[in-house]
Amino acid sequence: MKKTQVQARINGEEVVFLCEPNQTLLEVLREELGLTGTKEGCSNGNCGACNVILDGVLVNSCLVLAAEVEGKSITTVEGIAGPNGLHPIQQKFLQHAALQCGICTPGFIVAAKALLDHNPHPTEEEARRWLAGNLCRCTGYDKIIRAVLDAAQSMQTAPAA
């Protein structure tokens, strides 16, 4: 099969990769680019483990063909932390023990980042609805919601950089 060359910005860096026409973004991120934080869960868009932010929109990377990201910007869980350490969402996930086995955690963190980028002041109901596309088999939902709401609060009270 003939491979396609794709250029994209991944986690703030220009990246060029080759992919087959039927390869998903999830496969390329994990197998070609070594970004294994994005997890494979269901491979049909129902669990959210493979969430990434594509040009500002939360998507399941298992449903996006890698060739479709030509010229686009992608943020994976590896791109959430900043140069000064963990993002407040990641800090709050740790503080609230909002993770157990870890399979769903990267997808929840990426989804939470997309939520807070879209709506910095979500209500509990808004957060629950936004994160409804993410499945946790260890039933950590309440702790996850508390972590996201606490992150939103702390991001509002943090001094501007």
Side-chain angles (χ1 to χ4, degrees):
M1 214 177 269
K2 183 179 178 191
K3 291 194 175 194
T4 301
Q5 180 175 305
V6 176
Q7 182 174 348
R9 179 174 283 280
I10 301 177
N11 298 327
E13 295 186 24
E14 291 296 326
V15 175
V16 176
F17 60 85
L18 294 174
C19 64
E20 294 181 6
N22 62 345
Q23 266 187 302
T24 65
L25 177 57
L26 172 62
E27 291 171 321
V28 168
L29 290 171
R30 291 185 58 81
E31 298 166 16
E32 308 297 330
L33 302 176
L35 296 170
T36 58
T38 303
K39 302 299 183 206
E40 182 175 2
C42 65
S43 296
N44 62 18
N46 285 311
C47 75
C50 68
N51 282 343
V52 299
I53 300 171
L54 177 64
D55 280 349
V57 177
L58 183 66
V59 300
N60 298 107
S61 63
C62 70
L63 298 180
V64 176
L65 292 175
E68 293 179 301
V69 303
E70 172 67 37
K72 298 186 186 276
S73 178
I74 301 154
T75 302
T76 69
V77 70
E78 289 92 345
I80 302 289
N84 297 325
L86 296 178
H87 187 281
I89 294 167
Q90 294 167 313
Q91 289 283 2
K92 296 303 180 178
F93 264 67
L94 290 172
Q95 288 175 5
H96 288 267
L99 51 110
Q100 290 183 37
C101 79
I103 295 297
C104 70
T105 305
F108 269 108
I109 288 172
V110 171
K113 170 84 166 70
L115 165 63
L116 298 183
D117 287 349
H118 175 76
N119 178 3
H121 308 282
T123 64
E124 180 175 338
E125 182 179 340
E126 290 168 333
R128 287 186 183 278
R129 285 187 187 277
W130 187 279
L131 299 175
N134 292 72
L135 300 179
C136 172
R137 293 180 180 157
C138 302
T139 65
Y141 292 109
D142 193 56
K143 290 179 180 182
I144 291 167
I145 296 300
R146 299 288 162 243
V148 172
L149 295 175
D150 195 12
Q153 175 82 28
S154 72
M155 290 168 65
Q156 297 307 309
T157 59

